[in-house]
Amino acid sequence: MPTRRTTLLAPLALAACASPLPEARIAASTPEARALLEESAAAHGLEAFRRLRDVSVSYAGEWAPVIGRLQPVLVDRGFRGTSEERLLPREGIVAQAHAGPEGRKQVVRRSGGGGTGEVRVWFNGEPAEDAERRSAAALVADGYALFLLGPMLLAGGWGTPRAAILERDEDEAVTVGGRRWPCVVLRGRMIPGLGFSGAERIALYLDREERLMRRVRFGLEGMEGTRGAVAEVDAWGHIERQGVRWPTQFHERLLRPLPLAVHDWRLTGLDLDRGITVAEVEGPAFLGRAAAIPPPA
């Protein structure tokens, strides 16, 4: 039975107008869309990314106050302030160590071969077994991997590949990071979706000049309290490390059921190929901190 706090968005969702992310009806990617996705993945550094064994990043950011009241479990203000993440692309693992005023939250998210994978969550060292907090953690872990890696995640750069069924939509110019970017837009489905969703609607905004992903729009079907919602994340301030271009600034906004700025965050640390093993990150804690990087110019 859903709790009241997970259904706060439901009346708004029912009242919302047409979705800003229509359902794609194609059964397979068009050749043009596939070529554009591969061009973008190459521009991000897919070939170099495939050579990496592990990625360590850290983040810091700020949430809009209202979103914590609408989705307290997803935002999880008591535990999600700063975070450390370890990505093991070949194994399909994302491990996160969050810290906030109420203590520590640890997440280990493992992608599944063709399925929605598994997640383990600990709060101050105690495992969380309830479906609501586990599904929220899986949704967040998958989302952050998508925001950081963009088309590389969909073009074979992850240990357990996601299928991307895409077609080209109308081109659109978007303002990201204070600059106007004319973009090629790819729209379709990602299978599996984010978190415990079997499939997710998605739209990628690839700038015409560099083919970098400037914006990604997505559904939130992986958690009961967010089904029917649509959000988007802008990514900019890219830096290059070991042949890969990494975004350093992010902004998230909700589009449906209501327009709302949600979250601003930034990459505060980046370290590659430490030699991290699965055993070092799959428990209720891991050690070490990502190397500091200067703020983007």
Side-chain angles (χ1 to χ4, degrees):
M1 177 72 68
T3 65
R4 180 179 180 272
R5 65 183 180 182
T6 62
T7 55
L8 285 171
L9 291 180
L12 292 169
L14 291 172
C17 298
S19 173
L21 192 57
E23 188 71 40
R25 303 194 181 280
I26 54 173
S29 289
T30 65
E32 180 185 28
R34 186 68 198 179
L36 287 166
L37 177 69
E38 291 174 355
E39 283 181 25
S40 181
H44 281 267
L46 177 59
E47 184 177 347
F49 181 74
R50 283 176 169 152
R51 295 193 291 268
L52 296 177
R53 295 292 315 210
D54 58 79
V55 178
S56 297
V57 296
S58 59
Y59 297 108
E62 300 78 35
W63 290 93
V66 67
I67 196 66
R69 295 194 294 271
L70 290 174
Q71 278 297 329
V73 176
L74 190 63
V75 173
D76 210 359
R77 281 183 176 277
F79 294 90
R80 288 183 62 197
T82 60
S83 67
E84 289 273 336
E85 295 196 8
R86 307 292 181 258
L87 287 76
L88 281 68
R90 301 182 191 186
E91 292 84 0
I93 291 175
V94 176
Q96 299 175 318
H98 299 282
E102 295 181 28
R104 298 176 295 106
K105 175 182 178 179
Q106 194 83 11
V107 176
V108 179
R109 170 68 168 148
R110 185 188 290 266
S111 302
T116 58
E118 61 183 37
V119 69
R120 285 179 290 165
V121 188
W122 296 264
F123 290 87
N124 292 325
E126 295 296 321
E129 304 294 344
D130 59 290
E132 185 180 37
R133 290 191 294 178
R134 292 178 66 254
S135 61
L139 180 59
V140 169
D142 287 358
Y144 271 55
L146 175 63
F147 310 149
L148 181 68
L149 305 178
M152 294 190 295
L153 190 72
L154 304 177
W158 199 247
T160 306
R162 278 181 161 83
I165 301 174
L166 301 169
E167 61 183 340
R168 185 169 181 174
D169 205 346
E170 294 183 11
D171 292 2
E172 184 178 343
V174 298
T175 300
V176 173
R179 177 175 169 181
R180 193 73 169 164
W181 300 93
C183 287
V184 172
V185 182
L186 302 181
R187 178 172 66 90
R189 298 190 304 280
M190 178 173 65
I191 305 171
L194 301 176
F196 294 142
S197 168
E200 203 73 77
R201 294 165 294 156
I202 191 170
L204 306 174
Y205 292 72
L206 315 176
D207 79 66
R208 297 179 63 89
E209 181 181 341
E210 299 180 81
R211 286 291 191 258
L212 296 180
M213 186 186 79
R214 301 295 175 181
R215 175 174 293 173
V216 57
R217 185 174 292 182
F218 51 94
L220 291 163
E221 301 300 311
M223 182 178 168
E224 186 173 356
T226 59
R227 287 174 190 159
V230 175
E232 64 185 18
V233 166
D234 294 343
W236 71 98
H238 292 74
I239 58 174
E240 184 173 333
R241 296 288 189 274
Q242 291 187 209
V244 180
R245 300 185 71 180
W246 308 90
T248 63
Q249 300 282 116
F250 305 88
H251 172 73
E252 181 178 5
R253 66 184 67 85
L254 188 65
L255 301 178
R256 186 188 186 189
L258 72 169
L260 179 68
V262 171
H263 192 197
D264 288 285
W265 74 101
R266 58 203 172 276
L267 188 72
T268 57
L270 174 65
D271 203 10
L272 306 173
D273 277 345
R274 286 185 176 183
I276 295 170
T277 67
V278 174
E280 291 176 287
V281 301
E282 65 178 355
F286 54 75
L287 302 176
R289 299 195 64 81
I293 59 171

